[in-house]
Amino acid sequence: MNISIGFLGVAFAYLLAGLAEAQGGCSNIVTRRDITSLSPQEWSRMTNVLNKMRADGWFEYYANIHNREFGNIHGNDNFFPWHRRFLRDFEEVGQRYDSSFAVPFWDELHDSRNPAGSVVLSPRFIGGNGFGSCVRDGLQAGWTLGFPNSHCLTRSFDQGGQMQSWYSPEYIYSIMQRYNDMHGFREHIEYSLHGSVHLGMGGDMSTYWSANDFAFWLHHANLDRLWDQWQSWGHGSTMDGSNHNGNAMSLGSSLPHYGEPAGSTVRLGAGRMCFQYAGGSSGRKSARAMSLVTQSPNDAVREADAGLSALPERLRRKWFPLLAGRARSMTGSAPINGTRSIQSVSRSIGKPLPYPAPLTDMWVLMHGFDRKAVARIMAEAKQFVEEINGARYLSPY
């Protein structure tokens, strides 16, 4: 890769600013927002930064790091803290070009039923499927990337012109309620939403160097946002499981490539984590709400909340333990039975939950995942859909 003088100047400024930030705390806390909330002017300003970063070789730089560390940061409990540090690294570089730069997130749960139809994949934002694999519209149209070789940015949706459904807001909401340990939470997110988005997009997103695609940064910002919400539910310092070496994972565990403790990532707005999420844990109105899992319109959130609270008690205990014993209907009275109440509160345009895309054998092999753990989680996700649909819940998403 040819490194320009501009690249070296930005890199030097980045290192100095990063050192000062790590030592002195945050002087500039940026807010990561849903990409669809950005105005045309704000998106234009962002694309200006991203094009400069691409011209100076930063996309190749980060794709190379992700490729090199791939086996150390997937399939173990480095996953969340490492990717948060990686995202912040990318964001800090962007701020050398524009101090207001913040990586936006893609609320993929809102688009989970029909991902290919998302406005995020329109020419207005990051563009859609590849033509002959090459992306020809949106942010990275016509880009030539240098890692691992010179090539156009590629995408190849897993269903041809469409994508198989991803994991529903309801399923991710269930995971966040059922797992109080990092290992359980990480495993269920990594083997569900994380993998389905990468596989659905295909192309560069399905490779070791997926950071070539700006969709990678949007996707991982959303996963990090979900981790932030889970942390705010009483798991702010939760760090367990095992790391890439098979050693116990703790707040003091050293993150691959960075050599910094995992605990340095757990608190937003402190140290180098100088960012927050719009509508996130720092500004939440009530804890453990569906509205914090997906930033869908209020009517959809209310419909989902009412429908889930009206599920039979046995299903709430099993899948939504935080809702157990707290059933309500649209009128505020307890439901007589799940079916009647669900029919009354999910009465608009709701649909049964779709079956989400499973991980492929190639993806499991590529990551070195525990096949038994993957099979267990895939079976659980299928059972979730069958049982929730069987109770006649209708999803507004």
Side-chain angles (χ1 to χ4, degrees), residues 215-230:
F216 169 94
W217 302 97
L218 299 176
H219 176 40
H220 276 276
N222 192 49
L223 297 178
D224 186 71
R225 180 182 69 90
L226 294 174
W227 180 31
D228 176 51
Q229 292 308 322
W230 182 78

Side-chain angles (χ1 to χ4, degrees), residues 59-107:
F59 274 79
E60 286 87 350
Y61 173 79
Y62 287 111
N64 190 0
I65 291 174
H66 194 265
N67 172 75
R68 188 173 65 244
E69 299 294 343
F70 195 87
N72 295 329
I73 58 176
H74 297 99
N76 63 72
D77 297 294
N78 280 319
F79 179 79
F80 275 111
W82 191 90
H83 281 90
R84 176 171 286 178
R85 182 64 182 86
F86 192 51
L87 276 161
R88 183 56 188 157
D89 197 349
F90 182 88
E91 191 169 66
E92 286 179 333
V93 169
Q95 288 170 356
R96 306 288 76 78
Y97 300 88
D98 183 339
S99 62
S100 69
F101 179 80
V103 178
F105 62 87
W106 178 4
D107 182 5

Side-chain angles (χ1 to χ4, degrees), residues 42 165 173 202 216 262 365:
E42 288 170 328
S165 294
Y173 191 37
F216 169 94
L365 180 64

Side-chain angles (χ1 to χ4, degrees), residues 148-226:
N149 48 46
S150 181
H151 70 286
C152 64
L153 177 69
T154 63
R155 290 195 197 125
S156 183
F157 292 176
D158 65 350
Q159 297 289 305
Q162 297 296 318
M163 278 186 265
Q164 191 169 339
S165 294
W166 295 339
Y167 289 78
S168 67
E170 292 90 346
Y171 182 67
I172 301 302
Y173 191 37
S174 172
I175 289 173
M176 293 173 72
Q177 293 194 28
R178 287 184 289 125
Y179 293 94
N180 295 316
D181 62 304
M182 170 61 85
H183 178 73
F185 174 72
R186 186 276 306 171
E187 192 176 53
H188 280 74
I189 295 293
E190 187 177 7
Y191 297 169
S192 64
L193 182 62
H194 171 253
S196 69
V197 173
H198 277 279
L199 286 166
M201 300 282 284
D204 277 55
M205 274 287 278
S206 62
T207 68
Y208 296 104
W209 46 91
S210 50
N212 274 331
D213 194 332
F214 192 58
F216 169 94
W217 302 97
L218 299 176
H219 176 40
H220 276 276
N222 192 49
L223 297 178
D224 186 71
R225 180 182 69 90
L226 294 174

Side-chain angles (χ1 to χ4, degrees), residues 2-3 31 103 146 172 176 185 199 204 230 247 264 278 295 301 306 324 349 355 365 369 386:
N2 292 322
I3 303 179
T31 300
V103 178
I172 301 302
M176 293 173 72
F185 174 72
L199 286 166
D204 277 55
W230 182 78
N247 298 324
S264 66
Q295 297 197 340
V301 171
I349 56 173
Y355 286 97
L365 180 64
F369 288 157
E386 290 173 347

Side-chain angles (χ1 to χ4, degrees), residues 288-332:
R288 302 172 180 175
M290 171 68 93
S291 60
L292 300 181
V293 176
T294 176
Q295 297 197 340
S296 299
N298 287 338
D299 54 348
V301 171
R302 284 193 297 268
E303 188 104 352
D305 277 339
L308 295 176
S309 292
L311 288 170
E313 177 70 10
R314 64 177 180 81
L315 292 183
R316 279 181 281 121
R317 284 198 306 269
K318 180 176 181 178
W319 298 110
F320 301 98
L322 297 180
L323 302 181
R326 295 194 296 142
R328 64 184 184 273
S329 67
M330 292 293 281
T331 61

